[in-house]
Amino acid sequence: MARKTGSHSEITGPKIRAEAQRLFARHGFAAVSMRQIAAAVGVQAGALYLYTSDKEALLFDLLKSHMDDLIAAWRAEAPEGADALARLERFVRFHIRFNLERAEVVFLSYMELRNLSEENFAKIEGLRKTYETELEEILKAGQAEAVFLIPDTKLATMAIIAMLTGVNTWFREGGRLSRAMVADIYWDMVRKAVGA
Amino acid sequence: MARKTGSHSEITGPKIRAEAQRLFARHGFAAVSMRQIAAAVGVQAGALYLYTSDKEALLFDLLKSHMDDLIAAWRAEAPEGADALARLERFVRFHIRFNLERAEVVFLSYMELRNLSEENFAKIEGLRKTYETELEEILKAGQAEAVFLIPDTKLATMAIIAMLTGVNTWFREGGRLSRAMVADIYWDMVRKAVGA
DNA sequence: ACGCTAACTGAACAACCGTTCAATATCAAA
DNA sequence: TTTGATATTGAACGGTTGTTCAGTTAGCGT
């Protein structure tokens, strides 16, 4: 064997992803050049192509990993056996917490989808749909249990997710309310909205 | 006097704004070139500079006009004397209708704010804040009338606006539900969320 | 028909874009 | 110390960017 595989790439690779995420979120995908990313990493632009096939793949990998993480994290903590009300509460708190923890990539995954090719766009949209379905199943269950009173579970799903994701647009650390207080208040509004 | 002022500019000016709005919404501000806009209008790139000082001004004018229109339209139809519940219902229906009617520029005003200079960004944010305050005043009034039960009017404002604006991301003409049905369902959820 | 000006063209500017690649530096294994 | 793959450079590619401007066209008032 020669040099240990990726002796530097183990540092440079993640660094590229981190700087790309930061810059894309700050200025937008199209407004950030490969040279800017390279400069932030401390490398020449050509070196980026040892870690990504092209600029779009850099974006896609960020979004794909995020969606995979999101779905896996939710499934890991979703209370499978519990009643619909408890499951909904868990979902609300999970969504707010997880999204606030990863504000940059969440922002990206809402703003930069149109910079993906048709196939890659479809993949991300599929994952988003998968995640939304997790919520809709809870709402359907609560409807069946007659604990929720929802005029349309599909619309309620979209409404709740939009409402929860909206927290990312205004929440600032050290503001008037802590994350926990925000989660409490949103859970109260969601619970009432579904008639429970 | 010579030629009537703006004999052609009365056509070209609005056409530029319309095509810029369409292209910015479709591909993103940074991804659209002045030459693309000019080509869509049927003119050379240089001609655009008779109507705008630079590319950013083109975006800013679209967003500024939209925010002005939004606030003026709401104030024109806001039921000043009515009780909080009636005013909230009007707001919900107005917001959904107005935003669906202008999906392109609404999309822009959420996605492309970061392409504005600091001063221009602040102006748009100020107008957005003005609009949000209109809703918050309704919520405060309902709280005072004891017809609403809201843990935090600030958060409720953000939650409701995010929820309503979210309609734009999924609504498609000719889908399962009409605009009126969507508005009915959202009003039902909002009413419950505020405890009325 | 003429003059004037608004409207527009087309070329040019320097800067920057994503991407490729031959050359080179780096360093573990032999 | 030599070997050889890994990691990276730096220059180059053709093309595009926003913007400017001298020159041309078009049409109204006289």
Side-chain angles (χ1 to χ4, degrees):
Chain A
M1 231 198 295
R3 182 193 218 175
K4 203 202 292 179
T5 299
S7 60
H8 277 186
S9 75
E10 277 162 14
I11 300 172
T12 307
K15 223 172 168 184
I16 289 173
R17 255 170 286 143
E19 293 297 338
Q21 180 174 109
R22 195 178 60 86
L23 289 167
F24 288 164
R26 190 107 68 202
H27 305 107
F29 174 78
V32 173
S33 72
M34 294 299 268
R35 284 172 180 82
Q36 280 176 62
I37 298 168
V41 173
V43 97
Q44 291 296 316
L48 300 183
Y49 290 85
L50 297 176
Y51 302 91
T52 188
S53 58
D54 55 23
K55 196 187 174 190
E56 193 212 310
L58 208 47
L59 175 63
F60 177 70
D61 288 346
L62 289 171
L63 301 189
K64 174 73 162 63
S65 304
H66 169 64
M67 293 309 296
D68 287 342
D69 290 353
L70 174 69
I71 291 166
W74 165 244
R75 289 189 174 157
E77 81 171 71
E80 281 297 335
D83 60 289
L85 193 66
R87 288 165 69 201
L88 181 59
E89 177 172 4
R90 193 78 78 97
F91 185 91
V92 167
R93 296 187 186 278
F94 166 80
H95 189 96
I96 291 175
R97 168 169 36 85
F98 193 88
N99 280 12
L100 281 181
E101 271 167 9
R102 306 171 184 227
E104 276 180 357
V105 71
V106 168
F107 193 69
L108 278 186
S109 74
Y110 275 87
M111 308 280 279
E112 305 294 355
L113 283 178
R114 57 182 164 190
N115 293 111
L116 260 29
S117 70
E118 214 168 317
E119 312 99 80
N120 284 341
F121 175 83
K123 283 180 200 160
I124 301 295
E125 276 299 291
L127 291 171
R128 188 195 301 287
K129 185 80 193 152
T130 298
Y131 180 66
E132 288 170 0
T133 301
E134 296 277 329
L135 172 57
E136 198 185 354
E137 290 304 322
I138 296 173
L139 297 181
K140 280 181 184 167
Q143 190 83 307
E145 292 172 21
V147 48
F148 296 164
L149 203 73
I150 305 171
D152 188 295
T153 56
K154 196 108 213 140
L155 265 63
T157 300
M158 302 309 287
I160 291 171
I161 286 186
M163 178 172 152
L164 298 180
T165 306
V167 172
N168 274 48
T169 66
W170 58 262
F171 184 84
R172 295 293 170 267
E173 212 66 56
R176 182 168 60 92
L177 301 170
S178 69
R179 295 183 186 210
M181 291 161 77
V182 170
D184 287 346
I185 292 169
Y186 270 74
W187 164 233
D188 178 76
M189 290 189 289
V190 169
R191 187 180 44 75
K192 285 175 179 158
V194 299
Chain B
M1 230 195 296
R3 182 192 218 175
K4 203 202 290 179
T5 298
S7 60
H8 277 186
S9 74
E10 277 161 13
I11 300 172
T12 307
K15 223 170 167 185
I16 289 173
R17 256 170 285 143
E19 293 296 337
Q21 179 175 111
R22 194 178 60 85
L23 289 167
F24 288 163
R26 190 107 68 203
H27 308 292
F29 174 78
V32 173
S33 72
M34 294 300 266
R35 284 170 180 83
Q36 280 175 62
I37 298 168
V41 172
V43 98
Q44 291 296 317
L48 301 183
Y49 290 85
L50 297 176
Y51 301 91
T52 188
S53 57
D54 55 24
K55 195 187 176 191
E56 192 212 311
L58 207 48
L59 175 63
F60 176 70
D61 288 347
L62 290 171
L63 301 189
K64 174 73 162 60
S65 304
H66 169 64
M67 293 309 295
D68 287 342
D69 289 353
L70 173 70
I71 291 166
W74 165 244
R75 288 190 173 157
E77 81 172 70
E80 282 297 335
D83 59 290
L85 193 66
R87 287 165 69 202
L88 181 58
E89 176 172 5
R90 193 79 77 98
F91 185 91
V92 167
R93 297 186 186 279
F94 165 80
H95 188 96
I96 290 175
R97 169 168 38 85
F98 193 88
N99 279 13
L100 282 181
E101 271 167 9
R102 307 173 183 225
E104 276 180 356
V105 72
V106 168
F107 192 69
L108 278 187
S109 74
Y110 276 87
M111 307 280 278
E112 305 294 354
L113 283 179
R114 59 183 163 188
N115 293 110
L116 260 29
S117 70
E118 214 168 318
E119 313 99 81
N120 284 341
F121 175 83
K123 283 180 199 160
I124 301 296
E125 276 299 291
L127 291 171
R128 189 196 302 284
K129 184 83 194 148
T130 298
Y131 180 67
E132 288 170 0
T133 302
E134 296 277 329
L135 171 57
E136 197 185 355
E137 290 305 322
I138 296 173
L139 298 181
K140 281 181 183 167
Q143 191 83 307
E145 291 172 22
V147 47
F148 295 163
L149 203 74
I150 306 172
D152 189 295
T153 56
K154 198 106 211 139
L155 265 62
T157 301
M158 301 310 287
I160 291 171
I161 286 185
M163 178 172 152
L164 298 180
T165 306
V167 173
N168 274 48
T169 66
W170 58 262
F171 184 83
R172 295 293 171 265
E173 212 67 57
R176 182 168 60 91
L177 301 170
S178 70
R179 295 182 187 210
M181 290 160 78
V182 169
D184 287 346
I185 292 169
Y186 269 75
W187 165 233
D188 178 77
M189 290 190 287
V190 168
R191 186 179 45 76
K192 285 176 179 158
V194 298

